[in-house]
Amino acid sequence: IEEAKNIKSKPGPHKCVYGVMVEQKDLVCKPGSTEPFNLKHYRENPSEYKSIFHSNVAPACNVLINGIYWDERYPRVLSKQDMTELYKDGHKNLFAVGDISCDVNGSVEFLEKTTTIDNPFFSWNPMTNKSTDEITSEGVAVMGVDILPTELSVESSKHFGDALLPLLKKMIVNRHHNDSDYQHLPAELSNSCIAQNGLLTPNFEYIRALMERTAKAVHHAIRDPHILLRIQGHLFDSGLINQILDVIEGLDCHFEVEECNVTPSISGAARVKSTLMIRVFSDDDDTLNNV
């Protein structure tokens, strides 16, 4: 970051494009603290921190590519007020934002809507707080294509193909012709089988509860009575996720999955724990306390 600031301060023209990988410690700080940034403490106590991206990084940045996980517990990377203050101070160098996370009004607050492949950008003016579908020089060009992860490049497609080819060879060698013996496939394939013969496999039974909840979904605001559960462990291979959802279902609570980080197990390596965050809603406080 400091190097980027130094480059920014030198007279141009600059004939290179400089990229900076911004770390968590560059995004937030704990007001009043003189201790070194502690990532574990930040993730466990995000409400104690404030964003410093607008003062620490944005003045030296022309294009922001945002791919951070965010929910309302965390400070925003850039708020509308942050951008307005930057413009008032004469810092109008941030002219484009590509929000890969695509959280509407989320970590980049002025991502006010999702965009499309055909029309990927809209402009947002920090001084008027208005947006337009036309790219203008008076605002920030904002991209928020929600299906962007499906736009695979040639390099990505080749990489996935190279990784899949050895597994296909194993499947052919095993002469797998019977749908009922998918478990005899290599672990990489058998563990990824979501359904067979029209039924969910045991590792993916939790999907049924998610589907049923979606079918009769009730929209909940964050202000509605709820608790936020953070669960860490071997959630899927142990069946723990199914047990958790059964408890929630049994108490007639609604839930929303906020975050799910799954690390695949690699043969011969230590098993890595997965993390799941679920927001559980109920109008009854005693029910929430019993979850």
Side-chain angles (χ1 to χ4, degrees):
I1 296 301
E2 293 305 316
E3 185 178 352
K5 292 179 181 177
N6 291 334
I7 294 172
K8 179 69 177 178
S9 65
K10 295 179 180 179
H14 300 293
K15 298 182 179 180
C16 295
V17 176
Y18 297 91
V20 178
M21 182 74 74
V22 180
E23 300 181 30
Q24 298 274 14
K25 62 182 178 64
D26 302 314
L27 296 177
V28 297
C29 73
K30 186 178 181 182
S33 175
T34 58
E35 297 293 325
F37 178 75
N38 186 311
L39 179 59
K40 183 175 184 294
H41 185 271
Y42 167 58
R43 289 180 172 173
E44 293 176 349
N45 306 276
S47 62
E48 298 181 14
Y49 291 74
K50 71 173 185 178
S51 173
I52 56 172
F53 182 89
H54 65 289
S55 59
N56 190 40
V57 182
C61 180
N62 297 123
V63 178
L64 167 64
I65 306 298
N66 180 48
I68 197 170
Y69 169 80
W70 184 87
D71 62 46
E72 77 285 346
R73 297 171 302 139
Y74 295 91
R76 286 187 165 92
V77 174
L78 268 178
S79 68
K80 290 183 176 181
Q81 182 179 350
D82 291 338
M83 280 301 300
T84 300
E85 291 177 357
L86 283 170
Y87 263 54
K88 288 181 178 178
D89 292 340
H91 297 297
K92 298 183 179 182
N93 48 283
L94 181 60
F95 55 78
V97 173
D99 196 344
I100 310 302
S101 299
C102 207
D103 296 317
V104 175
N105 300 130
S107 57
V108 177
E109 188 179 16
F110 47 90
L111 177 66
E112 297 181 335
K113 60 182 179 180
T114 59
T115 57
T116 66
I117 297 297
D118 293 334
N119 297 289
F121 287 94
F122 68 90
S123 287
W124 177 75
N125 190 322
M127 300 305 294
T128 64
N129 191 25
K130 293 182 179 180
S131 60
T132 174
D133 290 335
E134 301 296 326
I135 303 300
T136 70
S137 60
E138 299 300 320
V140 184
V142 186
M143 182 194 73
V145 180
D146 53 1
I147 63 166
L148 195 61
T150 67
E151 293 287 300
L152 291 180
S153 64
V154 173
E155 292 84 357
S156 298
S157 181
K158 184 178 185 305
H159 171 77
F160 293 142
D162 290 343
L164 181 61
L165 189 58
L167 300 178
L168 293 179
K169 290 180 179 178
K170 291 180 181 180
M171 185 168 65
I172 294 171
V173 169
N174 287 346
R175 296 182 179 180
H176 176 68
H177 298 301
N178 189 339
D179 287 343
S180 64
D181 65 350
Y182 75 93
Q183 293 178 333
H184 297 298
L185 288 168
E188 298 91 338
L189 292 175
S190 62
N191 290 338
S192 64
C193 288
I194 299 176
Q196 69 157 359
N197 297 329
L199 298 175
L200 292 168
T201 56
N203 286 346
F204 294 92
E205 273 292 330
Y206 68 93
I207 294 178
R208 185 181 309 282
L210 299 178
M211 293 172 61
E212 291 174 351
R213 279 298 179 188
T214 300
K216 54 181 180 180
V218 177
H219 179 70
H220 291 279
I222 298 301
R223 62 180 177 271
D224 292 341
H226 70 275
I227 58 173
L228 187 63
L229 301 179
R230 184 177 187 274
I231 306 154
Q232 189 174 52
H234 304 297
L235 306 178
F236 298 90
D237 49 1
S238 67
L240 179 59
I241 179 64
N242 295 333
Q243 299 173 37
I244 293 169
L245 295 182
D246 284 345
V247 171
I248 296 174
E249 288 277 300
L251 293 172
D252 198 28
C253 297
H254 298 278
F255 68 88
E256 296 175 1
V257 177
E258 290 287 329
E259 179 182 358
C260 185
N261 294 320
V262 181
T263 303
S265 299
I266 301 175
S267 178
R271 297 172 69 192
V272 182
K273 295 180 179 179
S274 300
T275 302
L276 180 71
M277 294 184 64
I278 305 179
R279 196 178 301 277
V280 183
F281 296 87
S282 176
D283 294 330
D284 185 75
D285 290 338
D286 290 337
T287 299
L288 289 176
N289 291 333
N290 290 330
V291 172

